[in-house]
Amino acid sequence: MWWLPLIAVTFDVLVEVIVRGREPVSFMLIAVPPLAAATRGPRGTALSAVVCLGLQMWMAARRPGHFDEQHHVAVYVGTFLIGVASVALARQRKRTRQHLIRANSVAEAMQRTLLRPVPCRLGPVRAAGFYEAGEGGTLVGGDLYDVCETPPFGVRAIIGDVRGKGLGAVQTVAAVLGSFRVSAHEWRSLSRLAQRLELSIARNGPAGEEGDPELFVTALVLEFPPGGGEVRIVDRGHPSPLVIGPRDARRLVTAPGLPLGLGALAAGGDETTVHRLGPGEVLVAHTDGVSEARDADGVFYPVLQRLGERFRGERAPDPEAVVSFVRTDSERWSASSDNDDRAVLALRLDAT
């Protein structure tokens, strides 16, 4: 597009030279200023209009008696008026572009603040994370995760999936993550922490504004307590985590409760399960955007099987390598361009 105005002018001049003024080809230059307005600023567009007007006069002067002929004068006036309109369009396009750049910069900064990068190490835990929004052009959708080090309680993490998409899902993500980043440092019990997260949805989520009574968040709340060797899990309706190690890959058994936002429908439901982790084993938590990716035959992505095949025999898989593998392998597996949000956390206890 950037070269189109120059190509149009060059083509018109070449045709004029070839026909040697026998045919009026200068009228084609009227289209150049609008082309310039699509790719250049106001000054460049104005310059293109002046150049085209000068070429039209030069071409008309090559034919005796045509310089001030009625039709050529009409072409001059038309080029001038279209040039003025094109300069105005170029100015408006420039203002709109600057506004979009500022708006996108602010949105990107806010989204990166909301969904922060996972630190490589938090105390004795090596960590890695991956997130990709299913909706193109966005950084944050309906999935969430975060990892933080809480000196009294160890390293805590959350991964979740908000029902729905759009602005309401992002608002809920913000409410849950904001509550987790504060409450994870205050509540000793994982069950009480999960209850605080549920309360944050009731207070800060968009359900009251949009009248969505079915808003909920499936989530896993994880804790690696001081001393190492184990992980504690509260499951609120989320896919249970996996563990991969030198010998095999397995899915941990949890006690699923109701998703966050639906806890009032039943009492309890926040049972904490405890699992021992062997040396070098990596815990992998993911959202259903990973496990529900389908190939051309409609087969779901077998995340447990694929991880087992890839990392079987490795003494201590690197969390970053695990996350990178799940990301690329699930992308290759999926046959659909309309993917769901995907989030993966890989955490490994490492005392060194």
Side-chain angles (χ1 to χ4, degrees):
M1 287 293 295
W2 196 91
W3 291 99
L4 279 181
L6 181 59
I7 293 173
V9 170
T10 303
F11 175 77
D12 197 88
V13 172
L14 288 176
V15 172
E16 172 67 21
V17 171
I18 292 172
V19 302
R20 298 180 180 180
R22 292 190 299 270
E23 297 293 337
V25 298
S26 63
F27 67 91
M28 292 189 294
L29 294 173
I30 296 177
V32 173
L35 291 176
T39 58
R40 290 167 171 78
R43 292 184 179 180
T45 303
L47 178 61
S48 70
V50 171
V51 170
C52 290
L53 191 57
L55 287 174
Q56 287 172 341
M57 293 180 178
W58 171 72
M59 293 177 185
R62 285 166 56 87
R63 304 175 67 193
H66 284 262
F67 179 81
D68 56 353
E69 194 265 337
Q70 181 179 2
H71 294 88
H72 284 278
V73 173
V75 171
Y76 306 154
V77 174
T79 302
F80 173 78
L81 294 177
I82 291 176
V84 172
S86 298
V87 170
L89 288 174
R91 184 178 291 109
Q92 178 63 31
R93 183 184 62 83
K94 184 177 180 180
R95 285 198 299 263
T96 301
R97 181 172 180 270
Q98 292 173 342
H99 174 73
L100 287 175
I101 290 175
R102 288 194 298 268
N104 288 338
S105 297
V106 172
E108 182 174 349
M110 292 180 63
Q111 291 179 354
R112 291 194 182 279
T113 300
L114 180 62
L115 205 62
R116 299 180 298 203
V118 176
C120 296
R121 178 180 289 276
L122 300 97
V125 176
R126 289 182 59 86
F130 155 68
Y131 179 83
E132 182 178 54
E135 187 175 351
T138 61
L139 296 177
V140 178
D143 286 1
L144 59 95
Y145 67 76
D146 199 9
V147 185
C148 62
E149 185 176 8
T150 60
F153 316 122
V155 176
R156 287 179 165 179
I158 184 173
I159 186 168
D161 187 355
V162 180
R163 173 194 171 273
K165 297 182 179 181
L167 182 59
V170 175
Q171 290 176 325
T172 304
V173 168
V176 173
L177 288 180
S179 178
F180 173 79
R181 288 165 183 167
V182 174
S183 301
H185 295 266
E186 298 178 348
W187 297 94
R188 178 175 298 275
S189 167
L190 279 188
S191 298
R192 293 298 302 271
L193 174 56
Q195 293 169 11
R196 296 300 298 181
L197 298 179
E198 180 148 15
L199 185 61
S200 71
I201 297 177
R203 290 178 175 176
N204 304 310
E209 300 173 6
E210 300 182 1
D212 185 0
E214 299 180 355
L215 178 70
F216 61 83
V217 182
T218 66
L220 290 176
V221 184
L222 312 171
E223 178 184 272
F224 297 86
E230 68 181 30
V231 59
R232 300 169 183 170
I233 306 171
V234 168
D235 185 352
R236 297 299 295 267
H238 197 80
S240 57
L242 317 172
V243 171
I244 58 175
R247 291 172 296 180
D248 61 359
R250 66 187 187 277
R251 187 175 292 277
L252 298 181
V253 177
T254 59
L258 291 175
L260 300 175
L262 302 180
L265 299 178
D270 288 326
E271 180 181 346
T272 301
T273 57
V274 181
H275 296 271
R276 299 294 301 177
L277 294 178
E281 289 188 327
V282 178
L283 183 143
V284 181
H286 61 84
T287 59
D288 59 11
V290 174
S291 56
E292 293 182 1
R294 302 186 186 214
D295 64 7
D297 297 325
V299 179
F300 289 117
Y301 177 67
V303 56
L304 179 62
Q305 175 186 342
R306 302 289 287 186
L307 283 171
E309 294 173 353
R310 168 61 179 83
F311 293 99
R312 183 178 294 115
E314 290 197 18
R315 180 174 176 274
D318 180 31
E320 186 64 40
V322 173
V323 168
S324 178
F325 171 76
V326 174
R327 177 178 186 175
T328 57
D329 195 50
S330 61
E331 284 179 352
R332 286 195 297 262
W333 181 277
S334 177
S336 173
S337 59
D338 184 20
N339 295 322
D340 193 5
D341 299 342
R342 297 183 299 155
V344 180
L345 271 181
L347 305 164
R348 188 188 77 192
L349 279 171
D350 188 358
T352 60

